Amino acid sequence: NNPVTLSATTCPLCQKQNLCTADHSCWCMTKSVPQELIDKARELGIDQQCICSNCIDDYLKAQKKSP
């Protein structure tokens, strides 16, 4: 896989704004990112950008719905 280059403010999964401020006051410092989403981003060759809150929430909702 060739790494994909995205802006630091772009979610690697949905390609929308991740609203990360990249500092200790950011929402991403207090929200746990499921390992499955991190692995999915890495499979795409993306390892540094924050996964957005919407992708995390959508993933968690889908996990609650599945048996």
Side-chain angles (χ1 to χ4, degrees), residues 17-35:
Q17 294 295 304
N18 60 24
L19 304 177
C20 177
T21 60
D23 64 30
H24 292 288
S25 65
C26 186
W27 65 267
C28 71
M29 295 294 175
T30 59
K31 192 162 199 163
S32 178
V33 180
Q35 186 62 47

Side-chain angles (χ1 to χ4, degrees), residues 1-58:
N1 266 353
N2 290 332
V4 175
T5 303
L6 295 175
S7 161
T9 60
T10 303
C11 173
L13 302 181
C14 69
Q15 312 292 303
K16 295 179 182 173
Q17 294 295 304
N18 60 24
L19 304 177
C20 177
T21 60
D23 64 30
H24 292 288
S25 65
C26 186
W27 65 267
C28 71
M29 295 294 175
T30 59
K31 192 162 199 163
S32 178
V33 180
Q35 186 62 47
E36 291 85 353
L37 293 181
I38 295 170
D39 293 345
K40 186 173 181 181
R42 286 184 179 152
E43 286 173 13
L44 296 171
I46 304 166
D47 199 19
Q48 298 298 315
Q49 285 83 4
C50 284
I51 295 168
C52 74
S53 185
N54 287 336
C55 283
I56 296 168
D57 292 343
D58 289 348

